Amino acid sequence: MTESSEPSSDVPGRLFLTIGRLSRTLRQAGAPGPGTGAISAMATLAACGRMRLGDLAAREGVAAATMSRIVSALVDSGYLYRESDPVDRRAWLVALTEEGERLLAEVQSIRVHELSKRIDRLSAEDKEALMAAVPALEALLEDDERRN
C-alpha cells in the first residue's frame, strides 16, 4: 500500500474531496430548481428567519453582490420576498415565501432520501463508523456558526 492510499494519510485532503464529491452527487440527485448557493441561502433563512442581505451574504460566506444576484433571482421566482427593515427603513429584509419553504423542503427531502439510500448500502461497520463521525463533523462547523 502506498503512503497516499493509507487510511490515515492526508485526512484533510481526503475529507475535502470526499465531502465535495458527495455533496455534488446529492445535488445532482435533487429536483430541478435554484442552484446550490440559492438553496443554501434559503436554508439559512429557514433556520434563522428574515435577514438583511449583507448579513445573509456574511453567513453564507459570499460577497454582497453575489448574494444580491441570488436574492433577486429568488424574489423573481417567488421563493423569497423583501420587506423594509423596521429598524432602518433604508435597508431591506429578505425571507422565505410559502412557495420557497415548500421548494426547500422538497429539495432537502430528495437529497436526504438519496443519502439514506447510500448509507443503507454500507456495511454495518461503515455505518457505525459514520454514525460515530457525525458529532466530529458537526464540530467542524461550530466555530463558523458561533461567529455568525
Short mmCIF file of all heavy atoms in Angstrom, two decimals, residues 92-118:
data_model
loop_
_atom_site.label_atom_id
_atom_site.label_comp_id
_atom_site.label_asym_id
_atom_site.label_seq_id
_atom_site.Cartn_x
_atom_site.Cartn_y
_atom_site.Cartn_z
N TRP A 92 -33.35 46.55 3.59
CA TRP A 92 -34.36 45.54 3.28
C TRP A 92 -34.06 44.26 4.03
O TRP A 92 -32.91 43.91 4.26
CB TRP A 92 -34.37 45.22 1.78
CG TRP A 92 -34.84 46.36 0.95
CD1 TRP A 92 -34.06 47.31 0.35
CD2 TRP A 92 -36.17 46.69 0.62
NE1 TRP A 92 -34.85 48.21 -0.32
CE2 TRP A 92 -36.16 47.84 -0.17
CE3 TRP A 92 -37.41 46.12 0.94
CZ2 TRP A 92 -37.31 48.43 -0.67
CZ3 TRP A 92 -38.56 46.70 0.44
CH2 TRP A 92 -38.50 47.86 -0.35
N LEU A 93 -35.11 43.56 4.39
CA LEU A 93 -35.00 42.21 4.94
C LEU A 93 -35.53 41.25 3.88
O LEU A 93 -36.43 41.59 3.12
CB LEU A 93 -35.84 42.07 6.22
CG LEU A 93 -35.45 42.97 7.38
CD1 LEU A 93 -36.47 42.84 8.51
CD2 LEU A 93 -34.06 42.62 7.89
N VAL A 94 -34.97 40.05 3.84
CA VAL A 94 -35.47 39.02 2.94
C VAL A 94 -35.93 37.83 3.76
O VAL A 94 -35.39 37.55 4.83
CB VAL A 94 -34.43 38.58 1.88
CG1 VAL A 94 -34.13 39.72 0.92
CG2 VAL A 94 -33.15 38.09 2.52
N ALA A 95 -36.94 37.14 3.26
CA ALA A 95 -37.49 35.98 3.96
C ALA A 95 -38.10 35.03 2.93
O ALA A 95 -38.38 35.42 1.80
CB ALA A 95 -38.56 36.42 4.96
N LEU A 96 -38.29 33.80 3.36
CA LEU A 96 -38.89 32.78 2.50
C LEU A 96 -40.39 33.01 2.35
O LEU A 96 -41.07 33.37 3.31
CB LEU A 96 -38.70 31.39 3.10
CG LEU A 96 -37.34 30.76 3.01
CD1 LEU A 96 -37.28 29.50 3.87
CD2 LEU A 96 -36.99 30.42 1.57
N THR A 97 -40.89 32.77 1.16
CA THR A 97 -42.33 32.71 0.94
C THR A 97 -42.78 31.28 1.23
O THR A 97 -41.95 30.38 1.44
CB THR A 97 -42.68 33.04 -0.53
OG1 THR A 97 -42.09 32.04 -1.38
CG2 THR A 97 -42.21 34.43 -0.94
N GLU A 98 -44.08 31.05 1.24
CA GLU A 98 -44.58 29.68 1.41
C GLU A 98 -44.07 28.78 0.30
O GLU A 98 -43.71 27.63 0.54
CB GLU A 98 -46.11 29.68 1.46
CG GLU A 98 -46.67 30.19 2.76
CD GLU A 98 -48.18 30.10 2.82
OE1 GLU A 98 -48.78 29.25 2.12
OE2 GLU A 98 -48.78 30.88 3.58
N GLU A 99 -44.03 29.30 -0.91
CA GLU A 99 -43.52 28.52 -2.05
C GLU A 99 -42.04 28.21 -1.86
O GLU A 99 -41.57 27.12 -2.18
CB GLU A 99 -43.74 29.28 -3.37
CG GLU A 99 -43.27 28.54 -4.59
CD GLU A 99 -44.04 27.25 -4.88
OE1 GLU A 99 -45.11 27.03 -4.30
OE2 GLU A 99 -43.53 26.45 -5.69
N GLY A 100 -41.29 29.15 -1.31
CA GLY A 100 -39.88 28.92 -1.03
C GLY A 100 -39.69 27.85 0.03
O GLY A 100 -38.81 26.99 -0.09
N GLU A 101 -40.53 27.88 1.07
CA GLU A 101 -40.47 26.84 2.11
C GLU A 101 -40.78 25.47 1.52
O GLU A 101 -40.13 24.48 1.85
CB GLU A 101 -41.45 27.17 3.24
CG GLU A 101 -41.04 28.37 4.07
CD GLU A 101 -42.10 28.79 5.08
OE1 GLU A 101 -43.16 28.13 5.17
OE2 GLU A 101 -41.86 29.79 5.77
N ARG A 102 -41.78 25.41 0.64
CA ARG A 102 -42.16 24.15 0.01
C ARG A 102 -41.03 23.61 -0.85
O ARG A 102 -40.66 22.43 -0.77
CB ARG A 102 -43.42 24.32 -0.84
CG ARG A 102 -43.95 23.00 -1.42
CD ARG A 102 -44.81 23.20 -2.66
NE ARG A 102 -44.13 23.90 -3.74
CZ ARG A 102 -43.18 23.36 -4.52
NH1 ARG A 102 -42.75 22.14 -4.32
NH2 ARG A 102 -42.64 24.07 -5.50
N LEU A 103 -40.44 24.48 -1.68
CA LEU A 103 -39.34 24.05 -2.54
C LEU A 103 -38.15 23.57 -1.72
O LEU A 103 -37.57 22.52 -2.02
CB LEU A 103 -38.90 25.18 -3.47
CG LEU A 103 -37.67 24.84 -4.32
CD1 LEU A 103 -38.03 23.86 -5.42
CD2 LEU A 103 -37.06 26.09 -4.88
N LEU A 104 -37.79 24.31 -0.69
CA LEU A 104 -36.66 23.93 0.15
C LEU A 104 -36.89 22.57 0.80
O LEU A 104 -36.02 21.71 0.79
CB LEU A 104 -36.41 24.99 1.22
CG LEU A 104 -35.26 24.73 2.17
CD1 LEU A 104 -33.93 24.64 1.43
CD2 LEU A 104 -35.21 25.82 3.24
N ALA A 105 -38.09 22.36 1.32
CA ALA A 105 -38.41 21.07 1.95
C ALA A 105 -38.33 19.94 0.93
O ALA A 105 -37.81 18.86 1.23
CB ALA A 105 -39.80 21.12 2.58
N GLU A 106 -38.80 20.19 -0.28
CA GLU A 106 -38.76 19.17 -1.33
C GLU A 106 -37.33 18.81 -1.72
O GLU A 106 -36.96 17.64 -1.79
CB GLU A 106 -39.51 19.68 -2.56
CG GLU A 106 -39.52 18.73 -3.73
CD GLU A 106 -40.23 19.33 -4.94
OE1 GLU A 106 -41.20 20.10 -4.76
OE2 GLU A 106 -39.81 19.04 -6.06
N VAL A 107 -36.50 19.82 -1.94
CA VAL A 107 -35.11 19.58 -2.32
C VAL A 107 -34.36 18.86 -1.21
O VAL A 107 -33.65 17.89 -1.46
CB VAL A 107 -34.41 20.91 -2.69
CG1 VAL A 107 -32.91 20.73 -2.82
CG2 VAL A 107 -34.99 21.48 -3.99
N GLN A 108 -34.54 19.31 0.02
CA GLN A 108 -33.86 18.65 1.14
C GLN A 108 -34.34 17.21 1.31
O GLN A 108 -33.54 16.32 1.56
CB GLN A 108 -34.07 19.45 2.43
CG GLN A 108 -33.29 20.74 2.44
CD GLN A 108 -33.53 21.59 3.67
OE1 GLN A 108 -34.62 21.56 4.26
NE2 GLN A 108 -32.54 22.36 4.06
N SER A 109 -35.63 16.97 1.13
CA SER A 109 -36.17 15.63 1.26
C SER A 109 -35.56 14.69 0.21
O SER A 109 -35.16 13.57 0.52
CB SER A 109 -37.69 15.66 1.12
OG SER A 109 -38.22 14.36 1.11
N ILE A 110 -35.46 15.16 -1.01
CA ILE A 110 -34.89 14.35 -2.08
C ILE A 110 -33.43 14.03 -1.78
O ILE A 110 -32.98 12.89 -1.92
CB ILE A 110 -35.04 15.06 -3.44
CG1 ILE A 110 -36.50 15.05 -3.87
CG2 ILE A 110 -34.15 14.42 -4.51
CD1 ILE A 110 -36.82 15.96 -5.03
N ARG A 111 -32.69 15.03 -1.34
CA ARG A 111 -31.26 14.82 -1.07
C ARG A 111 -31.03 13.93 0.14
O ARG A 111 -30.13 13.08 0.14
CB ARG A 111 -30.56 16.16 -0.93
CG ARG A 111 -30.51 16.90 -2.26
CD ARG A 111 -29.91 18.25 -2.17
NE ARG A 111 -29.99 18.91 -3.47
CZ ARG A 111 -29.68 20.17 -3.68
NH1 ARG A 111 -29.25 20.91 -2.69
NH2 ARG A 111 -29.80 20.69 -4.88
N VAL A 112 -31.83 14.10 1.18
CA VAL A 112 -31.70 13.25 2.36
C VAL A 112 -32.08 11.81 2.00
O VAL A 112 -31.43 10.86 2.44
CB VAL A 112 -32.55 13.79 3.54
CG1 VAL A 112 -32.68 12.76 4.65
CG2 VAL A 112 -31.94 15.08 4.07
N HIS A 113 -33.12 11.65 1.19
CA HIS A 113 -33.52 10.31 0.75
C HIS A 113 -32.39 9.64 -0.04
O HIS A 113 -32.08 8.46 0.18
CB HIS A 113 -34.79 10.39 -0.10
CG HIS A 113 -35.25 9.07 -0.61
ND1 HIS A 113 -35.81 8.11 0.20
CD2 HIS A 113 -35.20 8.53 -1.85
CE1 HIS A 113 -36.10 7.05 -0.52
NE2 HIS A 113 -35.73 7.27 -1.77
N GLU A 114 -31.77 10.38 -0.93
CA GLU A 114 -30.64 9.83 -1.70
C GLU A 114 -29.49 9.45 -0.78
O GLU A 114 -28.87 8.39 -0.94
CB GLU A 114 -30.18 10.84 -2.76
CG GLU A 114 -29.00 10.38 -3.59
CD GLU A 114 -29.26 9.13 -4.43
OE1 GLU A 114 -30.42 8.86 -4.79
OE2 GLU A 114 -28.27 8.42 -4.72
N LEU A 115 -29.18 10.30 0.19
CA LEU A 115 -28.12 9.99 1.14
C LEU A 115 -28.48 8.75 1.96
O LEU A 115 -27.63 7.88 2.19
CB LEU A 115 -27.85 11.18 2.05
CG LEU A 115 -26.70 11.04 3.05
CD1 LEU A 115 -25.38 10.69 2.35
CD2 LEU A 115 -26.56 12.32 3.86
N SER A 116 -29.73 8.62 2.38
CA SER A 116 -30.17 7.45 3.13
C SER A 116 -29.98 6.17 2.32
O SER A 116 -29.55 5.14 2.87
CB SER A 116 -31.64 7.59 3.53
OG SER A 116 -31.81 8.60 4.47
N LYS A 117 -30.29 6.23 1.04
CA LYS A 117 -30.09 5.05 0.18
C LYS A 117 -28.62 4.66 0.14
O LYS A 117 -28.29 3.47 0.18
CB LYS A 117 -30.61 5.32 -1.24
CG LYS A 117 -32.10 5.39 -1.34
CD LYS A 117 -32.66 5.45 -2.75
CE LYS A 117 -31.86 6.18 -3.77
NZ LYS A 117 -32.52 6.37 -5.06
N ARG A 118 -27.75 5.64 0.04
CA ARG A 118 -26.31 5.36 0.01
C ARG A 118 -25.83 4.79 1.35
O ARG A 118 -25.02 3.87 1.38
CB ARG A 118 -25.53 6.62 -0.35
CG ARG A 118 -25.74 7.04 -1.78
CD ARG A 118 -25.22 8.45 -2.03
NE ARG A 118 -25.48 8.83 -3.40
CZ ARG A 118 -24.56 8.78 -4.36
NH1 ARG A 118 -23.34 8.39 -4.11
NH2 ARG A 118 -24.88 9.12 -5.59
#
